[in-house]
Amino acid sequence: MIQTMHMPKAGLEHLITILRRDGYRVLGPVARDGAVAFDELRTSSDLPIGMREAQEAGRYRLVPGIAGEIFGVVNGAGSLKPYFFAPDETLLEVRRERRGFKVSEVAPAPPPHAFLGVRACDLAALAIQDRIFLHDHFRDTHYEVRRKDAFFVAVNCTRSAPTCFCVSMKTGPEATAGFDLSLTELPDGFVARSGSPAGEAMIVKLGLSPAPGDQEAAARARIDECAAGMRRRLDTSDLPRLLYDEAENPRWREVASRCLSCANCTMVCPTCFCHTVVDQEELDGNMSRRVRQWDSCFSLDHAHIHGINFRPKISDRYRQWLTHKLASWIDQFGSSGCVGCGRCITWCPVGIDLTEEVAAIRADAGKR
Amino acid sequence: MKPRVAVFKFASCDGCQLQFLNAEDELLRLAGQVDFAYFPEARSRALEGPYDIAFVEGSVTTPADARRIIEVREESRYLITIGACATAGGIQALRNWADIEQYRRAVYPSPEFISTLSTSTPISEHVRVDFEIWGCPIDKYQLLAVTRSLLSGAQPVLPAHSVCIECKRRGNVCVVVARGEPCLGPVTRTGCGALCPSFNRGCYGCFGPANAHNMEAFARLLADQGVTGDEAMRRLRGINGYVRPWRETADALAEKK
């Protein structure tokens, strides 16, 4: 039985200090350029205290929240993805030699990262990325080296954005795995739990005492209330079969008439892992870097193979994305590729909402 | 023997060919790889063709240039356009919607000495172009990458996807979603490093259309942001305004008002 502890609000500063002293680069939600995104935390006052955000399809605004509330902003523009699966990184260097060439792997050596204020959906997304990048003997060394020393302080959601649907995807609002420490914010402090030996040790370092029973109950009530209040839903029942059967549904063309094919949804998705690999030659032709960059199934060149493009239309690409995310992902990796964070809805410039698209296809299929 | 390179200027501001000189650290290495046989902005020596690679800057705006580009094509193995003017007609293609006679009389005290065409057109409307480097100005790293590919005998490849992908790789917060800023990023080709959105401004479309785009949906997005009619038309009818998908959408927006 994991004991729940009480941490006063000032404990957050202490936590950041300890993590930094232990050699971690501490990242957490920071307000910049009109949104909250993970950025370096030097002190707890870097957090968006007293702020909330208003999200809807295609729109995000930071708004005043409740004074003293530290984690009022649910989620922001960026997920954990870039910190493990880097957007742009050199994998290999190839050097010309007198005879032939020499290939050397470029290994990243980052400082360990600690993430403060990670939501349940983002931890679930990271577990999905682990299945992709650390699967069996196909281990991505670049991902692995960043992943192994990371420390996670989860924050359980006590409010949801209108774009959130983690309840449908069974990933939140409470973090149940993948964290070292979890926090539930109450008006006068946090209820803290450890999720790992490192978290257990942190509780000792912080000198926390057990939470009074009423605090534990209050934290539970807040999480339950958040789950109950979540309006947006994605009906996942028999979803793979529905999408496979409806591959020719006219809705794909209809959504394609609205879709810009700009790829923002896939860029902000915490699980999308498509990338391209390019060779960047030095001008003298004696050295070349093999670079991996985030790419997207919405970019035309992604489906360009020798002599042919097999997804030339936007409807082809939207269908590919949604069907992979919600259906063939399950065949491939044993879970849905969607965690219900809602970023693809909020950060789509034209506000396309995948839950609405699936509902429309389901309704149409039901008519036949 | 080093490949012979020529850099030609048509109607343009010189900013794109200046990117060779802006290559700075790479410039000496570049000069070690190729022989600049004809590059008036960089050296006074001007050697005759034929050339292995001709970089062409600028659009065709005069009868003399319309003849000259044919000569350039004839004496060049590879002809590469550099920049928005050579590739799309440039900002001077705004004349394509105007009365050139009126311009000539309004601008010049002795208009009879001015020999000009009524249009500004991209090089590809006149001769076969082997590769196009977009941008206003072009990106020096793209220029060097294309040059390197040609030196290696490889087909040059530049990304043609939206600015949004690069913008997100950089970790920018979307100016459209978080600020309601009109931004051409979703329909614009990458290459600038998402420069303007990185400074909290909307994209101006300097690199022309992305290879995958949906202009109808984009026009509706602008309208939702309150950018309609002539204002929306002007967003598209800029540096790359004469390139087809933007030209057609801008024309439709101008008619609709």
Side-chain angles (χ1 to χ4, degrees), chain A residues 38-366:
Chain A
F38 280 104
D39 218 330
E40 182 148 14
L41 290 180
R42 290 190 164 76
T43 151
S44 59
S45 57
D46 291 338
L47 292 161
I49 301 166
M51 283 173 143
R52 285 190 173 185
E53 94 296 352
Q55 293 190 59
E56 58 187 89
R59 194 172 189 276
Y60 186 106
R61 294 289 185 279
L62 288 176
V63 294
I66 294 170
E69 188 182 42
I70 296 171
F71 296 104
V73 179
V74 175
N75 64 11
S79 65
L80 296 173
K81 181 164 79 171
Y83 296 101
F84 301 101
F85 166 37
D88 194 327
E89 70 177 324
T90 302
L91 303 176
L92 304 170
E93 286 179 356
V94 185
R95 278 189 179 74
R96 193 190 295 279
E97 302 210 309
R98 241 155 39 107
R99 287 178 164 195
F101 56 87
K102 182 168 177 264
V103 179
S104 41
E105 192 171 351
V106 178
H113 281 45
F115 296 89
L116 179 60
V118 181
R119 306 297 171 144
C121 55
D122 281 344
L123 287 173
L126 199 62
I128 290 171
Q129 291 238 310
D130 286 351
R131 261 169 256 149
I132 296 156
F133 288 106
L134 303 176
H135 181 71
D136 293 342
H137 40 282
F138 301 111
R139 299 178 83 81
D140 187 280
T141 49
H142 291 244
Y143 181 92
E144 192 167 26
V145 75
R146 298 190 181 97
R147 182 74 177 86
K148 67 177 172 32
D149 297 324
F151 188 94
F152 297 96
V153 182
V155 167
N156 294 317
C157 289
T158 51
R159 66 169 277 264
S160 66
T163 43
C164 293
F165 56 103
C166 64
V167 170
S168 296
M169 304 317 292
K170 301 181 175 64
T171 59
E174 184 179 17
T176 53
F179 58 85
D180 296 289
L181 207 60
S182 88
L183 303 174
T184 309
E185 187 170 6
L186 296 172
D188 51 356
F190 298 96
V191 168
R193 272 171 196 265
S194 82
S196 72
E200 204 66 56
M202 184 57 79
I203 281 181
V204 174
K205 283 185 202 172
L206 287 164
L208 304 184
S209 48
D214 60 329
Q215 279 199 4
E216 203 181 333
R220 168 60 39 213
R222 285 182 161 230
I223 295 166
D224 290 347
E225 198 183 318
C226 171
M230 203 171 290
R231 296 272 157 72
R232 192 173 298 272
R233 287 201 160 70
L234 179 67
D235 180 358
T236 57
S237 55
D238 214 12
L239 196 48
R241 183 190 300 273
L242 174 77
L243 293 175
Y244 295 148
D245 286 353
E246 296 303 314
E248 303 302 330
N249 193 294
R251 184 74 183 192
W252 300 117
R253 287 199 300 280
E254 194 282 325
V255 65
S257 73
R258 289 176 278 134
C259 172
L260 295 165
S261 191
C262 62
N264 273 304
C265 49
T266 55
M267 295 289 113
V268 297
C269 176
T271 69
C272 274
F273 58 87
C274 283
H275 51 266
T276 185
V277 175
V278 293
D279 288 325
Q280 296 177 345
E281 270 186 285
E282 283 287 307
L283 193 58
D284 60 15
N286 288 326
M287 205 272 267
S288 179
R289 283 182 194 83
R290 178 152 289 189
V291 176
R292 174 167 67 186
Q293 298 173 326
W294 283 3
D295 196 11
S296 168
C297 53
F298 280 92
S299 82
L300 197 59
D301 293 334
H302 196 68
H304 191 86
I305 56 170
H306 185 77
I308 191 171
N309 192 306
F310 55 88
R311 287 194 284 266
K313 298 197 296 288
I314 297 178
S315 55
D316 304 331
R317 300 198 289 278
Y318 190 86
R319 180 179 65 185
Q320 161 63 25
W321 176 65
L322 200 73
T323 309
H324 186 214
K325 185 70 47 187
L326 300 175
S328 49
W329 201 296
I330 299 172
D331 305 333
Q332 197 180 0
F333 300 112
S335 76
S336 173
C338 177
V339 295
C341 71
R343 285 193 182 89
C344 61
I345 304 170
T346 299
W347 298 97
C348 171
V350 294
I352 293 172
D353 171 355
L354 84 168
T355 65
E356 207 173 86
E357 298 311 314
V358 170
I361 287 169
R362 195 183 283 282
D364 194 50

Side-chain angles (χ1 to χ4, degrees), chain A residues 1-5 193-194 200 216:
Chain A
M1 173 81 196
I2 297 165
Q3 208 178 3
T4 53
M5 313 300 282
R193 272 171 196 265
S194 82
E200 204 66 56
E216 203 181 333

Side-chain angles (χ1 to χ4, degrees), chain A residues 32-35 58-61 87 256-264 267-268 281-285 293-294 299-301 314 317 346-347 349, chain B residues 26 29-30 33 144 148-149 151-152 160-162 164-165 168-169 171-174 176-180 186 200 211-214 217-218 220-221:
Chain A
R32 69 169 163 91
D33 301 328
R59 194 172 189 276
Y60 186 106
R61 294 289 185 279
S257 73
R258 289 176 278 134
C259 172
L260 295 165
S261 191
C262 62
N264 273 304
M267 295 289 113
V268 297
E281 270 186 285
E282 283 287 307
L283 193 58
D284 60 15
Q293 298 173 326
W294 283 3
S299 82
L300 197 59
D301 293 334
I314 297 178
R317 300 198 289 278
T346 299
W347 298 97
Chain B
E26 301 278 13
R29 280 212 279 173
L30 179 65
Q33 300 285 319
L144 294 171
R148 181 62 245 169
S149 294
L151 292 175
S152 299
H161 56 68
S162 70
C164 299
I165 290 183
K168 287 290 189 292
R169 283 182 195 152
N172 291 337
V173 171
C174 178
V176 176
V177 173
R179 297 154 53 95
N200 264 318
N211 62 356
H213 51 71
N214 181 345
F218 183 69
R220 283 195 298 274
L221 169 61

